[in-house]
Amino acid sequence: GGGLESRCACHRGRAGTNPPRSGSSHRAKQEVQSTNVAVAVHSRDTVRAFKLAPRDRETIRAILADANQAPSWANTQPCEIFVGSGEPLEKLRRSFLENFHKGVPGNSDLPRPQQWPEAIDKRMRRQYASRSRYLAIDRDDQEARRAMVENNHNVFGAPTVLYLCMDSSLTPWSMHDLGMMAQSIMLAARERGVSSAIAYNLVIYPELIRNELKIPAALPIVIGIAAGYAASGDRQNRFPSARRPLA
C-alpha cells in the first residue's frame, strides 16, 4: 500500500522491548508509568469536533508502536489496522456525507444490536438526553438533531481515522483482543496529546472504506477510531459522560 498517512498500516508484528531494569530506578519508573496510565484513563474522552490539522506520520507510528504491546490470546495479535488520512479520507468523508443526505442506511460489517438489555438501554437514553441538554438542543429541534448526526458522518472533522479489522474466520474471543488494542491506541494517543473518538458511525459504510483503502474482503471492518487535535472551543468536546458506580 501507500504511505501511512494516505493508505494503511497493518498490525502484524510486535515492537521490540527493552530488557527490565533492576533496583530502585526500575521501581520508580514503574510507579511513574502507573501514574501516567491512571491520568490517561481518566482524561481520555470522546472528542466529536477536531481541527483538520493533520497528524504527522511519526506520531501515528509512535501511537501504534505503543498500542502494539496490547495483549492477545496466545499472542495471536489478530487486529489488522488500516490508517486513513489525506485525500483518501477526504473522499470517504464526502461519500459518507453524500450517503447521509440521500438517506442511505448504514450496513456495518459487524451488525449492530436490534435491541438492548433494559439496564443498558436506560443508560443510553440518559446519555443522549444529558448530552442534548448540555448542548441546549430541544427534543423537538429536528434540525439540530440532524446536524449532530451529520457531524458523525463528517467523521467529526478528524484528519485521521484508524480502522480496526480482523479475519472473518475468528471468533468473539479475538474480538476481546481487538477491544484491548482499541483502548491501547486511545491511551497511547492521549499520552501524546492526541484526542480520539471511537464510533460505530465511522464504519457504517464498509464497502466505501474497503474500496478506498484496499481492505481485503476477508477482513471485516469492526470499528473506527478518529484521531487528531481537539477543537478546543467546541462545546461538544466538554460534555462529561457519566460512569456507573462500582457495586
Side-chain angles (χ1 to χ4, degrees), residues 32-44 187 190-191:
V32 170
Q33 288 175 335
S34 296
T35 302
N36 288 345
V37 169
V39 170
V41 166
H42 286 277
S43 63
R44 187 217 63 81
L187 295 183
R190 191 73 190 92
E191 174 74 12

Side-chain angles (χ1 to χ4, degrees), residues 130-145:
S130 297
R131 185 168 169 237
S132 295
R133 284 195 301 271
Y134 184 83
L135 297 174
I137 297 176
D138 187 86
R139 61 184 301 175
D140 297 322
D141 190 342
Q142 296 303 315
E143 183 176 345
R145 292 183 179 279

Side-chain angles (χ1 to χ4, degrees), residues 1 13 18 44-45 106 110 167 177 185 212 223:
N18 295 321
R44 187 217 63 81
D45 52 12
L110 187 67
D167 194 279
D177 297 337
I185 288 172
E212 189 61 45
I223 197 67

